Every structure is written in C-alpha cells, then in structure tokens.
Amino acid sequence: MSDNITVRGFVATEIRSSTTPGGVPTASFRLGSAERRYDRAANAWVDGNINWFTVQGYRQLAGNMGCSIKKGQRVVVVGKLKMRSWEKDGRIYHDAEIDADAVGHDLKWGTANFIRNSGNPQAADGYGPANGDRSGSSGGVGDGSDEDREEGDEADEDPAAAGIFLDDAGDELQLDPETGELTGAAA
C-alpha cells in the first residue's frame, strides 16, 4: 500500500529550519487544507473543515523551502503521509505528517518565478536526463559532476547553500543573504 498523497492548502506557520545531529538540513511548516463547497441555500462558497498537516522537507528541498515559501501562501505538497499519535496527561493526540518529496506554489492563486539551482539535485531524486527529464544537466563536462572536480575539491559543496543559482539562460546569479533577492536579476 502506498501512502503517497498530494495536498493543496495554505502555509499556516513560518518555516522552521534546523539540522539533524547527522548534519542533514531540514525545514518544516504547518499546512491547512480547507474544504470549500458551494452552498446553494446561501448562494455562496463556504469553508468546511480544515485538515492540518505538518510538512517536513530534507536536504536540498529544505533549503529551497526556506528561501521560497512564506506564511499565508498557497502551496501544493506531494509526499508520504505518516500518522503519529502520543499520550500526554491522559489525552491521546494525533498528528498527520507529510514527508515531502515536492513543494510548490499553487499557481491557481498567483504567479511564480522559478530559478533553478546550480548543481545536480535531480540525481538523488530520480529525475534528470537518465529518467526522461530533458531539463536537467547532461552529466557531461562542465556540469559540476565528479569528472570536472580537481583533486582536493570538495565533493559535498552545495552551490545553493552558498546562494548561487542559475537563471533560465544558464547564467549564475548570487543570492543576497539579507534581502533574499537575487543580485543582478531584473525585476
């Protein structure tokens, strides 16, 4: 049985970023997914129940969530559903967690400007040229693969962590750490 789900909703909390004891970056937020239905008697759309989820992302996704997602925005989350329960003071509590594979803005509610990370995060996710995605790097010379590294270069260096991104033309752009905006990018 697969517990993969896709949920549309709104970001209800600020993004919480941290690092595991093993050094893996993580980010999480609370997601509210409200049921909307048309009430013919009132001749209007009304809100129904709200389902609450804790969305958890790791590694590259965690960094991208921290830079891109803000409280109040509408998002789409794809991941694995995990149900937790615990007891405290005689009461049983439940939490629905989504171990996110992908998080993105819900374009039904607005527009977004996608900026691809430099490097090759697709390799760990199963996407990329070898898996039918022609938008990734070719795995050849000059793409940051291990074949391009000089002896002594750090293999674990993450350009996104350093605030370096590629625009659609393949040019490198630097992220301003104070404003979170790209330096030299047209508005």
Side-chain angles (χ1 to χ4, degrees), residues 5-11 31-36 51 53 73-78 98 104-109:
I5 63 170
T6 301
V7 180
R8 291 174 51 202
F10 61 93
V11 178
L31 176 75
S33 180
E35 173 191 9
R36 296 274 295 166
N51 292 322
F53 301 90
Q73 293 178 336
R74 301 283 186 141
V75 294
V76 178
V77 176
V78 178
I98 300 175
H105 288 100
D106 188 346
L107 298 181
K108 178 180 178 182
W109 299 94

Side-chain angles (χ1 to χ4, degrees), residues 84-170:
R84 288 189 326 122
S85 60
W86 67 95
E87 183 178 345
K88 181 179 177 184
D89 300 330
R91 288 191 62 190
I92 297 176
Y93 295 89
H94 301 280
D95 187 29
E97 294 183 356
I98 300 175
D99 187 2
D101 292 325
V103 178
H105 288 100
D106 188 346
L107 298 181
K108 178 180 178 182
W109 299 94
T111 62
N113 184 19
F114 178 78
I115 300 169
R116 192 168 94 181
N117 293 336
S118 61
N120 190 10
Q122 296 94 353
D125 294 339
Y127 297 107
N131 298 308
D133 178 15
R134 300 182 197 284
S135 66
S137 77
S138 64
V141 176
D143 67 353
S145 65
D146 288 339
E147 298 160 354
D148 296 336
R149 297 193 189 283
E150 296 291 327
E151 193 171 307
D153 282 354
E154 286 294 320
D156 295 333
E157 187 174 309
D158 183 6
I164 300 171
F165 296 90
L166 294 178
D167 66 4
D168 291 339

